[in-house]
Amino acid sequence: MQGRSGFRFRRALLVVSLAAGLTACGAPGGDGGQAAAPQAVPDKPSKPVELNILDIAGNLQLTKQMIENFKAAHPEVLSKVTYSTAPAPSMAGKLKAEQDGGVAQTHLVLSGTDGLSAGIANGTLAKILPDFAGRFPNLMQNYLEPAAKMQDLANGYGVEVVYYPSGPLLEFNPAAAATPPASPQELLDWAKAHPDKFQYAQPSNSGPGRTFLMGLPYLLGDKDPKDPDKGWDKTWAFLQELGKYVKYYPSGTTEAMKNVASGSVDMVMSTTGWDINPRKLGTVPNTVKTAIMQPMHWVTDAQYALIPKGLSGDQESAILQLVAWMLKPDQQAIAYDDGYFYPGPAVKDVTLQMAPQKSQDTIKQFGRPEYEQWIAQYPKETSLPAEQQVKAFDKWNQLVGGSKVGKK
């Protein structure tokens, strides 16, 4: 999937990155570069600045055009923008090394919840809110309601720039499953009747796998969907039973999608973006279908703009203006992209008709009309906080993954 490698690889070592970051929690302020005091950040930079932007989430596929539009519209703010990508686990250490060395080479980070949490843990991120709330008028009111809840997870250290309801969805070959499972029990029955034909990728390195894992407690009516350690008895028992009929768990979602395309499996876990974008790219045949299980609850996901410590007032000023620009409805419409993070926009009143024609054409051809209905109809739950995701992934590895992780 175009742009997916960075996005999904950032999840691959989430446990490792957060474990390393949380080790540093004893000194949350860190001893690296300091953030510029809010009063030292001017409304506009004294001269155009250069920005080095690090993407650890595959986010540039959604936002690069927004950034380029800002640069073109405001040459008095930005003189040059340089882009780079890296896996999420490297971010916190990279920022710490730069700040300890007194040279902030990374000026803006585009991240998911994993890099956000690791950066908070080792004290390398500048506090954005409420310090600069005045730069983002009515921020929380402007977000879609579930996106606002994802913004809350940032604890003021990031500004959410894209959002999607994610899943969990079943994606299947209709020739092999004319009537898709409508509940977890029906999924288990189908998998038992079709051994090795159902699959999902490792949750720590897969959006669909992770969304399935976090969505099951709602589907099964578990005791506490937000407590994977003590509240998921039904979930762990279900996954262990389901695992008897799963040949192996791929290391990433791309492999699972290729298995559907090749016919080696007939059903996988998916999300809106993982359904639409691979069909657009031709990775998966356009004949596959998707379905939901009841009682359906969406598990939401988001990506954020993060500001490292150690920047000048002019640099922070430019970044704040850029991020505010990215939240304008006309720029948010660019996030529809090719269905990569469908829908994509985090703010209210951004319709597909506002998106570039290419995006409109893609969604018209490869989108599914039922998604709009389902998104409006079913409740939306935030992803687990990062620390709880760590617990969930660890327990999945212990109780479910075992010797089947990544082995064909």
Side-chain angles (χ1 to χ4, degrees), residues 58-137:
N59 179 269
L60 284 172
Q61 181 166 326
L62 305 170
T63 61
K64 186 175 181 180
Q65 190 58 54
M66 304 178 195
I67 297 167
E68 290 297 314
N69 289 349
F70 178 81
K71 179 175 175 289
H74 293 282
E76 78 283 4
V77 177
L78 288 186
S79 60
K80 182 179 179 182
V81 179
T82 301
Y83 303 99
S84 61
T85 61
S90 68
M91 183 210 76
K94 173 179 173 60
L95 297 185
K96 188 72 162 59
E98 290 179 10
Q99 292 167 17
D100 285 351
V103 180
Q105 297 174 325
T106 302
H107 307 134
L108 174 64
V109 179
L110 301 172
S111 171
T113 55
D114 44 9
L116 168 70
S117 299
I120 293 172
N122 80 340
T124 53
L125 300 180
K127 196 75 179 289
I128 302 174
L129 301 169
D131 302 49
F132 296 104
R135 310 293 180 102
F136 305 98

Side-chain angles (χ1 to χ4, degrees), residues 12 14 31 60 82 93 108-109 144 156 162 177 194 207 215 238 244 253 271 273 289 326 329-330 337 352 360 383:
L14 170 59
D31 55 3
L60 284 172
T82 301
L108 174 64
V109 179
L144 296 163
V162 293
H194 303 82
F238 175 85
K244 295 177 182 179
T253 316
T271 64
K289 302 295 184 182
M326 293 166 71
D330 62 335
D337 185 58
L352 181 60
Q360 295 186 44
S383 300

Side-chain angles (χ1 to χ4, degrees), residues 62-405:
L62 305 170
T63 61
K64 186 175 181 180
Q65 190 58 54
M66 304 178 195
I67 297 167
E68 290 297 314
N69 289 349
F70 178 81
K71 179 175 175 289
H74 293 282
E76 78 283 4
V77 177
L78 288 186
S79 60
K80 182 179 179 182
V81 179
T82 301
Y83 303 99
S84 61
T85 61
S90 68
M91 183 210 76
K94 173 179 173 60
L95 297 185
K96 188 72 162 59
E98 290 179 10
Q99 292 167 17
D100 285 351
V103 180
Q105 297 174 325
T106 302
H107 307 134
L108 174 64
V109 179
L110 301 172
S111 171
T113 55
D114 44 9
L116 168 70
S117 299
I120 293 172
N122 80 340
T124 53
L125 300 180
K127 196 75 179 289
I128 302 174
L129 301 169
D131 302 49
F132 296 104
R135 310 293 180 102
F136 305 98
N138 301 313
L139 178 67
M140 298 304 286
Q141 294 90 335
N142 289 339
Y143 279 132
L144 296 163
E145 182 181 354
K149 293 179 180 178
M150 289 300 294
Q151 175 60 35
D152 284 338
L153 294 183
N155 293 322
Y157 286 94
V159 176
E160 182 181 359
V161 291
V162 293
Y163 150 85
Y164 86 133
S166 194
L169 303 176
L170 289 170
E171 186 164 330
F172 62 96
N173 173 5
T179 303
S183 69
Q185 183 60 51
E186 289 186 14
L187 172 61
L188 182 59
D189 293 343
W190 189 92
K192 187 174 182 178
H194 303 82
D196 301 338
K197 288 296 187 177
F198 170 76
Q199 190 175 72
Y200 64 98
Q202 299 170 43
S204 62
N205 192 32
S206 166
R210 183 176 60 258
T211 303
F212 180 46
L213 182 64
M214 291 189 286
L216 268 175
Y218 298 98
L219 288 165
L220 295 169
D222 233 330
K223 183 169 64 176
D224 186 353
K226 296 297 187 184
D227 186 353
D229 187 33
K230 298 179 180 178
W232 287 16
D233 290 349
K234 294 179 181 179
T235 296
W236 297 124
F238 175 85
L239 288 173
Q240 286 178 307
E241 182 66 19
L242 182 65
K244 295 177 182 179
Y245 314 107
V246 176
K247 184 177 182 181
Y248 80 103
Y249 301 99
S251 59
T253 316
T254 297
E255 184 178 349
M257 291 298 168
K258 289 180 178 178
N259 289 341
V260 171
S262 70
S264 59
V265 299
D266 291 320
M267 189 177 298
V268 296
M269 296 312 302
S270 191
T271 64
T272 58
W274 271 104
D275 166 44
I276 297 171
N277 196 244
R279 287 188 290 117
K280 154 70 176 175
L281 298 176
T283 307
V284 174
N286 200 26
T287 52
V288 299
K289 302 295 184 182
T290 58
I292 55 176
M293 294 181 285
Q294 297 294 353
M296 175 64 177
H297 285 242
W298 293 100
V299 176
T300 62
D301 202 358
Q303 296 174 354
Y304 305 84
L306 315 178
I307 302 178
K309 289 181 177 178
L311 305 190
S312 69
D314 277 355
Q315 288 169 327
E316 285 202 20
S317 173
I319 292 168
L320 292 168
Q321 288 187 69
L322 169 60
V323 175
W325 168 277
M326 293 166 71
L327 293 176
K328 293 172 58 179
D330 62 335
Q331 299 304 306
Q332 282 281 295
I334 296 170
Y336 278 100
D337 185 58
D338 280 335
Y340 164 67
F341 212 66
Y342 183 82
V347 305
K348 297 174 182 174
D349 302 323
V350 181
T351 66
L352 181 60
Q353 290 69 36
M354 298 166 61
Q357 189 61 48
K358 180 174 179 286
S359 295
Q360 295 186 44
D361 293 344
T362 294
I363 303 306
K364 181 178 180 180
Q365 183 176 0
F366 296 101
R368 300 191 190 274
E370 58 266 31
Y371 284 167
E372 187 174 350
Q373 175 189 337
W374 291 349
I375 291 170
Q377 181 177 357
Y378 295 112
K380 301 164 192 69
E381 313 293 345
T382 57
S383 300
L384 288 176
E387 294 82 358
Q388 294 301 317
Q389 286 193 38
V390 170
K391 292 180 181 179
F393 297 158
D394 279 345
K395 201 153 186 174
W396 184 88
N397 289 331
Q398 295 165 10
L399 299 179
V400 183
S403 61
K404 293 185 178 181
V405 169

